[in-house]
Amino acid sequence: MFENLKEDLSVVFDRDPAARNTFEILTTYPGVHALLFHRLAHALWNLGAKWLARLVSYLARWLTGIEIHPAARIGRRFFIDHGMGVVIGETAVIGDDCTLYHGVTLGGTSWEKGKRHPTLGNGVVVGAGAKVLGPIEIGDGARIGSNAVVVKAVPAGATVVGVPGRLIERKPEDIDTSHRQKLASKMGFDAYGATRDAPDPVAHAVNCMLDHLHVMETRMKQMCEALRAAGFEPPEGAQDIPDLPACEIISTAEELRRMHLDEDGVEQAPEEGDSRP
């Protein structure tokens, strides 16, 4: 028991830069209190004292704002940051080294008996306000972005954002990211399950379609030129295919700023009357 408590305290120092000392964590961190109450309630539940276990869980919710069903199974080094509004259902299973933020729901989508709640692998981060619903599996190291609604299984190492939850794929960067990797290995997670360089999945899909249109336009022009070379002329009044200018859907201010850079990476001077810095 004391070994688990030691791990619970050390993980707070690792994942919350606001933590200052052990006494402060023991007295003012509701996530730690909720976990201690849950361990007691879970032990009572396994002993058959289910009403008493539910009472302990109810008192924990009243004191901490975090509701964890006594039957839920939680691994080691689990951390709930802030905590208010977190709900963890009866058949939920949480692996080791997971992190949940305030407003997270690990809920069910059915009134049927049996497995109704999600299973989180090791090292999963669920951002503030996210809802993970149903008997689905979230793979090891997955990240659920803030306010995402996830109703389908998530593979290991993936990141999910949006409503409904969509998988996003990071693009490789040419810049030196050794400092980020060093910090990530120390922290063990991305705060709130989101990163600044995460792409917009909708914009990515639209950009893929635009790329496809450009390829189709090029091939159509080649076919028309080949027909003309073979002696086939278009009927009178037919118009040439208009050029499709290069375009891109942008989703963040940073992407907009990059569009104002010239090929040498030097930002272009703002036009007269432009109030941009």
Side-chain angles (χ1 to χ4, degrees):
M1 181 179 70
F2 290 104
E3 184 65 26
N4 288 336
L5 179 59
K6 183 178 179 181
E7 285 186 342
D8 296 337
L9 297 177
S10 65
V11 83
V12 174
F13 287 111
D14 292 339
R15 303 182 196 175
D16 185 2
R20 296 185 299 176
N21 55 67
T22 300
F23 180 76
E24 182 181 66
I25 294 173
L26 285 173
T27 54
T28 65
Y29 273 64
V32 174
H33 301 158
L35 187 56
L36 294 176
F37 275 113
H38 173 71
R39 289 207 179 107
L40 174 59
H42 189 67
L44 293 172
W45 184 273
N46 290 336
L47 291 173
K50 299 190 185 308
W51 178 85
L52 188 56
R54 291 302 300 266
L55 180 61
V56 172
S57 175
Y58 175 78
L59 292 174
R61 184 183 69 168
W62 183 70
L63 292 171
T64 66
I66 300 170
E67 181 174 351
I68 307 177
H69 194 283
R73 290 184 289 162
I74 298 177
R76 301 173 64 178
R77 296 176 296 279
F78 177 58
F79 179 50
I80 303 176
D81 199 0
H82 302 295
M84 180 61 69
V86 169
V87 177
I88 300 176
E90 177 184 6
T91 60
V93 179
I94 300 175
D96 298 335
D97 302 300
C98 292
T99 302
L100 269 59
Y101 287 86
H102 50 281
V104 168
T105 298
L106 304 183
T109 57
S110 171
W111 290 349
E112 300 290 336
K113 296 290 185 181
K115 178 67 171 169
R116 309 186 308 279
H117 301 90
T119 297
L120 273 58
N122 299 327
V124 174
V125 177
V126 185
K131 315 301 177 187
V132 186
L133 307 175
I136 59 176
E137 293 190 6
I138 309 299
D140 295 347
R143 303 291 186 265
I144 309 298
S146 298
N147 295 317
V149 178
V150 183
V151 294
K152 296 182 179 180
V154 177
T159 299
V160 178
V161 299
V163 182
R166 297 183 178 91
L167 293 176
I168 63 175
E169 183 179 2
R170 282 177 158 180
K171 295 181 180 179
E173 298 181 359
D174 295 331
I175 61 176
D176 181 18
T177 59
S178 59
H179 64 289
R180 295 184 185 176
Q181 296 174 358
K182 183 178 180 180
L183 180 61
S185 63
K186 176 183 177 181
M187 301 293 285
F189 73 109
D190 295 327
Y192 292 91
T195 56
R196 293 178 58 187
D197 55 346
D200 184 337
V202 176
H204 176 70
V206 174
N207 288 332
C208 288
M209 289 189 289
L210 291 174
D211 292 341
H212 182 74
L213 285 175
H214 279 289
V215 174
M216 294 298 295
E217 178 193 29
T218 301
R219 293 191 178 182
M220 286 292 293
K221 287 184 176 181
Q222 292 173 348
M223 292 172 60
C224 291
E225 292 173 358
L227 288 172
R228 287 194 178 97
F232 295 95
E233 293 294 335
E236 295 183 3
Q239 297 181 352
D240 291 335
I241 299 175
D243 291 334
L244 180 63
C247 55
E248 181 180 3
I249 301 297
I250 58 175
S251 58
T252 65
E254 178 64 21
E255 291 172 349
L256 179 61
R257 188 189 68 82
R258 285 201 296 266
M259 290 188 67
H260 290 279
L261 300 179
D262 59 21
E263 295 180 355
D264 296 330
V266 180
E267 189 168 4
Q268 298 175 352
E271 298 179 358
E272 184 178 355
D274 193 347
S275 59
R276 292 185 299 112

